Amino acid sequence: QVQLVQSGAEVKEPGASVKVSCKASGYTFTDYYMHWVRQAPGQGLEWMAWINPNSGDTNYAQKFQGRVTVSRDTSISTAYMDLSRLRSDDTAVYYCVRDLTNSNVGDCWGQGTLVTVSS
Amino acid sequence: DVVMTQSPLSLPVTLGQPASISCRSSQSLVYSDGNTYLNWFQQRPGQSPGRLIYKVSNRDSGVPDRFSGSGSGTDFTLKISRVEAEDVGVYYCMQHTHWPPTFGQGTKLEIK
């Protein structure tokens, strides 16, 4: 079955970087875009970026421009989200989502990765 | 960015009774291809979100038919005809007609 498995929780200091991974299985990784969405504690959902795993093309929310980088390794069907210059308000659960904006296929979300930014 | 405004933010409902959630967008969500890209997601406690409804009124596979979506332009509604215990959670609308995709604040449904 289609599955996205994300890396484990992270604790980082302000100013550091974090890299979250998302391993896909059960489908052809390069056939579907991968999006990243985050959810601060007790808050709503916020779209961050997507990557086309086939071409490597990316698109970022303006809010995160210059701080976020999404990438992929097609040989291991894994997408990555790298967020730099972390601040306390970056504390959130980060989700990878297969093809969030494709109405023609069902969505699939990773289990989420909690990133805590604290000194 | 398009602002999505949901109401109410908290929705206590008696089991077996109907529930309705409103979602309004700051701009029309009709795309140039004629489609309206408004989705609804459910997030059960402790779980990742999952899509219920796409393009206003289309239920995803496996979604019970007690869930229905309607609306047009800037005003949309998610209805649950008879609330069951498993429906507890937070419901989000999301538009992807305009870039970037944006979500509503969420509506927390609880059993009264």
Side-chain angles (χ1 to χ4, degrees):
Chain A
Q1 76 282 21
V2 176
Q3 195 173 12
L4 300 175
V5 178
Q6 299 182 221
S7 48
E10 303 260 14
V11 179
K12 297 289 184 181
E13 292 193 346
S17 297
V18 68
K19 191 168 188 174
V20 178
S21 68
C22 170
K23 183 169 176 60
S25 61
Y27 72 98
T28 302
F29 178 64
T30 50
D31 282 353
Y32 300 93
Y33 283 40
M34 191 70 77
H35 295 246
W36 291 88
V37 173
R38 77 176 186 179
Q39 184 171 38
Q43 301 300 310
L45 301 165
E46 182 174 33
W47 180 83
M48 299 179 68
W50 60 245
I51 183 168
N52 178 339
N54 186 44
S55 65
D57 289 344
T58 57
N59 188 283
Y60 302 109
Q62 189 161 11
K63 173 178 180 176
F64 300 102
Q65 286 275 1
R67 283 210 304 141
V68 68
T69 303
V70 294
S71 59
R72 91 294 191 211
D73 184 338
T74 57
S75 69
I76 55 172
S77 300
T78 299
Y80 302 93
M81 189 283 298
D82 199 318
L83 187 61
S84 63
R85 303 194 300 278
L86 289 168
R87 307 184 294 250
S88 57
D89 62 356
D90 290 320
T91 294
V93 174
Y94 290 78
Y95 294 101
C96 57
V97 190
R98 190 190 77 163
D99 238 343
L100 176 69
T101 57
N102 185 341
S103 298
N104 297 320
V105 296
D107 62 339
C108 178
W109 294 62
Q111 83 276 20
T113 296
L114 175 62
V115 175
T116 302
V117 183
S118 173
S119 54
Chain B
D1 297 359
V2 175
V3 177
M4 305 296 288
T5 303
Q6 290 183 227
S7 62
L9 299 185
S10 178
L11 184 56
V13 183
T14 301
L15 284 173
Q17 292 301 301
S20 180
I21 300 170
S22 170
C23 175
R24 291 183 172 171
S25 57
S26 60
Q27 301 177 37
S28 172
L29 299 185
V30 180
Y31 190 55
S32 54
D33 64 2
N35 287 308
T36 299
Y37 294 101
L38 184 285
N39 299 343
W40 288 96
F41 292 84
Q42 175 193 58
Q43 186 174 30
R44 291 184 172 127
Q47 295 187 14
S48 302
R51 196 177 69 187
L52 292 174
I53 302 278
Y54 63 95
K55 288 195 291 186
V56 180
S57 60
N58 297 276
R59 272 191 305 276
D60 271 278
S61 174
V63 174
D65 61 7
R66 65 178 181 274
F67 289 92
S68 64
S70 63
S72 63
T74 60
D75 287 335
F76 304 92
T77 303
L78 176 70
K79 291 183 178 176
I80 308 173
S81 59
R82 293 172 306 279
V83 170
E84 298 189 5
E86 66 179 20
D87 300 335
V88 165
V90 182
Y91 293 81
Y92 296 94
C93 59
M94 184 200 85
Q95 69 80 28
H96 61 98
T97 295
H98 305 281
W99 211 254
T102 49
F103 293 86
Q105 321 96 299
T107 295
K108 186 173 184 179
L109 186 149
E110 61 181 24
I111 304 301
K112 220 186 268 186

